[in-house]
Coordinates of all heavy atoms in Angstrom, one line a residue:
M1 N 11.0 -5.5 22.1 CA 10.3 -5.1 20.9 C 10.1 -6.2 19.9 O 10.8 -7.2 19.9 CB 11.2 -4.0 20.2 CG 10.5 -3.2 19.2 SD 11.6 -2.0 18.5 CE 12.1 -2.8 17.0
R2 N 9.0 -6.1 19.2 CA 8.7 -7.2 18.3 C 9.7 -7.2 17.1 O 10.1 -6.2 16.6 CB 7.3 -6.9 17.7 CG 6.6 -8.1 17.1 CD 5.5 -7.6 16.3 NE 4.3 -7.2 17.1 CZ 3.4 -8.1 17.6 NH1 3.6 -9.4 17.3 NH2 2.4 -7.7 18.3
A3 N 10.1 -8.4 16.8 CA 11.1 -8.6 15.7 C 10.4 -8.4 14.3 O 9.2 -8.5 14.2 CB 11.7 -9.9 15.7
P4 N 11.2 -8.0 13.3 CA 10.6 -7.9 12.0 C 9.9 -9.2 11.5 O 10.2 -10.2 12.0 CB 11.8 -7.6 11.1 CG 12.8 -7.0 12.0 CD 12.6 -7.7 13.3
V5 N 8.9 -9.0 10.7 CA 8.1 -10.1 10.2 C 9.0 -11.1 9.5 O 9.8 -10.8 8.6 CB 7.0 -9.6 9.3 CG1 6.3 -10.7 8.6 CG2 6.0 -8.7 10.0
T6 N 8.8 -12.4 9.9 CA 9.5 -13.5 9.2 C 8.7 -14.0 8.1 O 7.5 -13.7 7.9 CB 9.8 -14.7 10.2 OG1 8.5 -15.2 10.6 CG2 10.5 -14.2 11.5
A7 N 9.4 -14.8 7.3 CA 8.7 -15.4 6.1 C 7.4 -16.2 6.6 O 6.4 -16.2 5.9 CB 9.6 -16.3 5.4
Q8 N 7.5 -16.8 7.8 CA 6.4 -17.6 8.2 C 5.2 -16.7 8.7 O 4.0 -17.1 8.6 CB 6.8 -18.5 9.5 CG 7.7 -19.6 9.2 CD 9.1 -19.1 8.9 OE1 9.6 -18.1 9.5 NE2 9.8 -19.8 8.0
E9 N 5.5 -15.5 9.1 CA 4.5 -14.6 9.6 C 3.8 -13.8 8.6 O 2.7 -13.3 8.8 CB 5.1 -13.6 10.6 CG 5.3 -14.1 12.0 CD 5.8 -13.0 12.9 OE1 6.8 -12.3 12.6 OE2 5.1 -12.8 13.9
A10 N 4.4 -13.7 7.4 CA 3.7 -12.9 6.3 C 2.4 -13.5 6.0 O 2.3 -14.8 6.1 CB 4.6 -12.8 5.1
V11 N 1.4 -12.8 5.6 CA 0.1 -13.3 5.3 C -0.2 -13.3 3.8 O 0.4 -12.5 3.0 CB -1.0 -12.5 6.0 CG1 -0.9 -12.7 7.5 CG2 -1.0 -11.0 5.7
R86 N -1.6 -8.0 11.7 CA -1.1 -6.6 11.7 C -1.1 -6.1 10.3 O -0.2 -6.4 9.5 CB 0.2 -6.5 12.4 CG 0.2 -7.1 13.8 CD 1.6 -6.8 14.5 NE 2.7 -7.4 13.9 CZ 3.0 -8.7 13.9 NH1 2.3 -9.6 14.6 NH2 4.1 -9.2 13.3
K116 N 3.2 0.7 24.3 CA 4.6 0.6 24.8 C 4.8 1.8 25.8 O 4.1 2.8 25.7 CB 5.6 0.8 23.6 CG 5.3 -0.1 22.4 CD 6.0 -1.4 22.6 CE 5.7 -2.3 21.3 NZ 6.0 -3.6 21.5
R123 N 12.5 4.7 21.1 CA 13.5 3.8 20.4 C 13.0 3.3 19.1 O 13.7 3.3 18.1 CB 13.8 2.7 21.4 CG 15.2 2.0 21.1 CD 15.6 1.3 22.4 NE 14.7 0.3 22.9 CZ 14.5 -0.9 22.3 NH1 15.2 -1.2 21.3 NH2 13.6 -1.7 22.8
I124 N 11.7 2.8 19.1 CA 11.1 2.3 17.9 C 11.0 3.4 16.8 O 11.4 3.1 15.6 CB 9.7 1.7 18.2 CG1 9.8 0.5 19.1 CG2 9.0 1.3 16.9 CD1 8.5 0.0 19.7
E127 N 14.4 4.0 15.3 CA 14.8 2.9 14.5 C 14.1 3.0 13.1 O 14.7 2.8 12.1 CB 14.5 1.6 15.2 CG 14.9 0.4 14.4 CD 14.1 -0.9 14.8 OE1 14.4 -1.4 15.9 OE2 13.3 -1.3 14.0
K128 N 12.8 3.2 13.1 CA 12.0 3.3 11.9 C 12.4 4.4 11.0 O 12.5 4.3 9.8 CB 10.5 3.3 12.1 CG 10.0 2.1 12.9 CD 10.4 0.8 12.2 CE 10.0 -0.4 13.1 NZ 10.7 -1.6 12.7
F131 N 15.7 3.6 9.5 CA 15.5 2.6 8.4 C 15.1 3.2 7.1 O 15.5 2.8 6.0 CB 14.4 1.6 8.9 CG 14.1 0.5 7.9 CD1 14.9 -0.6 7.9 CD2 13.0 0.5 7.0 CE1 14.7 -1.7 7.0 CE2 12.8 -0.5 6.1 CZ 13.6 -1.6 6.1
A158 N 3.9 3.5 9.3 CA 3.2 2.2 9.0 C 4.0 1.1 9.6 O 3.4 0.0 10.0 CB 3.0 2.0 7.5
L159 N 5.3 1.3 9.8 CA 6.2 0.1 10.2 C 6.2 -0.1 11.7 O 6.7 -1.1 12.1 CB 7.6 0.4 9.7 CG 7.8 0.4 8.2 CD1 9.3 0.5 7.9 CD2 7.2 -0.8 7.6
V160 N 5.7 0.8 12.5 CA 5.9 0.7 13.9 C 5.1 -0.5 14.5 O 5.5 -1.0 15.5 CB 5.4 1.9 14.8 CG1 6.3 3.1 14.4 CG2 3.9 2.2 14.6
I161 N 4.1 -1.0 13.8 CA 3.5 -2.3 14.3 C 4.1 -3.5 13.7 O 3.6 -4.6 13.9 CB 1.9 -2.2 14.0 CG1 1.7 -2.1 12.5 CG2 1.3 -1.1 14.8 CD1 0.2 -2.4 12.1
E162 N 5.2 -3.4 13.0 CA 5.8 -4.6 12.2 C 4.7 -5.3 11.5 O 4.3 -6.4 11.7 CB 6.5 -5.5 13.2 CG 7.6 -4.9 14.0 CD 8.8 -4.5 13.2 OE1 8.8 -4.8 12.0 OE2 9.7 -3.8 13.7
P163 N 4.1 -4.6 10.4 CA 3.0 -5.2 9.7 C 3.3 -6.5 9.0 O 4.4 -6.7 8.5 CB 2.6 -4.1 8.7 CG 3.8 -3.3 8.5 CD 4.6 -3.3 9.9
Q164 N 2.3 -7.3 8.9 CA 2.4 -8.6 8.1 C 1.9 -8.3 6.7 O 2.2 -9.1 5.8 CB 1.5 -9.7 8.8 CG 2.0 -10.1 10.2 CD 1.0 -10.8 10.9 OE1 0.0 -10.3 11.4 NE2 1.1 -12.1 11.0
L165 N 1.1 -7.2 6.6 CA 0.6 -6.8 5.3 C 0.7 -5.3 5.2 O 0.2 -4.6 6.2 CB -0.8 -7.3 5.0 CG -1.5 -6.7 3.8 CD1 -0.9 -7.2 2.5 CD2 -3.0 -7.1 3.8
N189 N 13.4 -2.6 -0.4 CA 14.2 -2.8 0.7 C 13.4 -3.4 1.9 O 13.8 -4.4 2.5 CB 14.7 -1.4 1.1 CG 15.9 -1.5 2.0 OD1 16.5 -2.5 2.2 ND2 16.3 -0.3 2.5
L190 N 12.3 -2.8 2.1 CA 11.4 -3.3 3.2 C 10.9 -4.7 2.9 O 11.0 -5.5 3.8 CB 10.2 -2.3 3.2 CG 9.2 -2.6 4.3 CD1 9.9 -2.4 5.7 CD2 8.0 -1.7 4.2
S191 N 10.5 -5.0 1.7 CA 10.0 -6.3 1.5 C 11.1 -7.4 1.6 O 10.9 -8.5 2.1 CB 9.2 -6.4 0.1 OG 9.9 -7.0 -0.8
R192 N 12.3 -7.0 1.2 CA 13.5 -7.9 1.3 C 13.9 -8.2 2.7 O 14.2 -9.3 3.1 CB 14.7 -7.4 0.5 CG 14.5 -7.4 -1.0 CD 15.8 -7.4 -1.7 NE 15.5 -7.3 -3.1 CZ 15.7 -6.2 -3.9 NH1 16.4 -5.2 -3.3 NH2 15.4 -6.1 -5.1
R193 N 13.9 -7.1 3.5 CA 14.4 -7.2 4.9 C 13.4 -7.8 5.9 O 13.7 -8.3 6.9 CB 14.9 -5.9 5.4 CG 16.3 -5.6 4.8 CD 16.8 -4.2 5.2 NE 16.9 -4.0 6.6 CZ 17.4 -2.8 7.1 NH1 17.8 -1.9 6.3 NH2 17.4 -2.6 8.4
T194 N 12.1 -7.7 5.6 CA 11.1 -8.1 6.6 C 10.1 -9.2 6.1 O 9.4 -9.7 6.8 CB 10.2 -7.0 7.1 OG1 9.3 -6.6 6.1 CG2 11.1 -5.7 7.4
H195 N 10.1 -9.5 4.8 CA 9.2 -10.5 4.2 C 7.7 -10.1 4.3 O 6.8 -10.9 4.1 CB 9.3 -11.9 5.0 CG 10.7 -12.5 4.9 ND1 11.2 -13.1 3.8 CD2 11.7 -12.5 5.8 CE1 12.4 -13.5 4.1 NE2 12.7 -13.1 5.3
V196 N 7.5 -8.8 4.6 CA 6.1 -8.3 4.7 C 5.5 -8.5 3.3 O 6.1 -8.4 2.3 CB 6.1 -6.8 5.1 CG1 6.8 -5.9 4.1 CG2 4.7 -6.3 5.3
T197 N 4.2 -8.9 3.3 CA 3.4 -8.9 2.0 C 3.0 -7.5 1.7 O 2.5 -6.7 2.5 CB 2.1 -9.8 2.2 OG1 2.5 -11.0 2.7 CG2 1.4 -9.9 0.9

Side-chain angles (χ1 to χ4, degrees):
M1 196 178 99
R2 199 193 283 280
V5 170
T6 62
Q8 292 73 32
E9 279 186 306
V11 292
R86 300 188 303 281
K116 310 271 179 195
R123 203 158 55 75
I124 295 169
E127 184 204 285
K128 298 308 173 199
F131 183 82
L159 295 186
V160 297
I161 58 164
E162 301 294 352
Q164 295 164 283
L165 171 66
N189 198 9
L190 181 65
S191 108
R192 290 200 187 112
R193 281 176 56 178
T194 75
H195 302 281
V196 64
T197 305

